[in-house]
Amino acid sequence: MPAESSQQEAAKPVTRLRDWLDHLAARERLAVARRGLSLVHEIAAVANRLDGRKATVFPNPGGHAVPVVSGLISDRGWMAEAMGVPPAQLLRRFQDAAATPLPWREVSAAPVQEVVHRPVDLARLLPIPTHNEHDSGPYITAGLLISRNPRSGVQNVTIHRLQLNAPDRLGVLLLPRHTLAYLHMAEEMGQDLEVAIVVGIDPLTLLASQAIAPLDADELEIAGALHGAALPVVQCVTNAVRVPAEAEIVIEGRILRDTREEEGPFGEFPQYYGERAKRHVVQVDAVTTRRRPIFHTIVGGGLEHLLLGGIPREATLLTHLQRSFPGVTDVHLGRGGVMRYHLTVQMRKRSEGEAKNVILGAFGGHYDIKQVVVVDEDVDIHDPNEVEWAVATRFQADRDLLVIPGAQGSRLDPSTEDGFGAKMGLDATRPLNAPEMRFKRISVPGQIAIRLQDVLDPVAGTAWREALGSEA
Ligand code: MN
């Protein structure tokens, strides 16, 4: 009965953070900390210890009235549950949503604006934690930063790390992507860039924010497609940005034109620190919240952080590869490769050499990709032991290894020279013309189908000598 009802529940996408916490709690995946743990390191320590197993709610962190939650997604199966699909359909569901976005619908009153704070003292209003040993101080790490194309009004959604610089000012790292493109447009018009930072949102909207979409593709429309319903949004109190109505907290403000302040260091996804430098600044104009809001924090380098980035990347890389190579059946970004650098591709090879073309295609799919392993369709790419077995038994370095020197890679990979580095590809597929038995995997007939309860004696295990009979 419980299995049946949970399946029915799982068939409906989760659209609110509070519903997701209920979902986790009902499955014993939500720990509740003692009241009053410290915002400095203690929340991150507990979240990291439970990483991959449980989300955690922290009541009264540092004596603060607003609770903190962390670890919303610890496993890719959880994200499939949030979508309401079986785990095997996770990437397909995201591919479909990215291909068919659903425009949002505007509402005039929203839970996230039940309380309006201005002027603003961020540290007093919100429990902003400090995570890693050498972090410069408190950071907002799970804030969706929403900005508008200042010419067209089209919105962009992404996550930037946000350092607390002053009671009403945040330092922000802008990589050369969409938010920065909109800021440059605003600066050309002599303006600041209006933004909203949304904290406390459902897992599917978080995931949609990480879609690798083109400029002027609104990630909130991908969130709507994942929800299966247009996302309700409301206009900010102090600017024109539209924010999800069901969120917990919204920080309204502006990225200041031509302004920089020191930001960093900060513990990043590769499990190293991002360096300190002069970075952009958000001037905060107001904070709006639900009556009793929840603050979400993501600890850098944990599974929640890696999966939110990794799943949309996998979906995008799969779409990219399948355009040229229909034999590609699945891709996987492994945890050891920080779900960005090391890609495994599963394929049904049709012609000799095709796996090497797939390797080259994968490097073209995203500059972060540093190592690609291609395996046949009989290898489970979600099991690192299976992939290692394929390399151990189907790969010869002098024949199947591809090294591309001097290419662009990730700047956060400390083994590169500021992102300048090498690529490595391993073709671990069987040759098509091999004799049939040479690469035939051993298997025992009936092993998978056999029901152990039908063939094992339930009581004899503890008395194995008696089970052998009187002759023994
Ligand atoms: Mn974007």
Side-chain angles (χ1 to χ4, degrees), residues 156-157 178 213-214 217 219:
N156 186 68
V157 189
H178 301 162
E219 288 83 359

Side-chain angles (χ1 to χ4, degrees), residues 133-153:
E133 184 183 7
H134 295 292
D135 286 359
S136 60
Y139 267 85
I140 297 169
T141 59
L144 302 192
L145 191 146
I146 307 181
S147 57
R148 283 159 57 87
N149 180 321
R151 296 197 193 107
S152 67

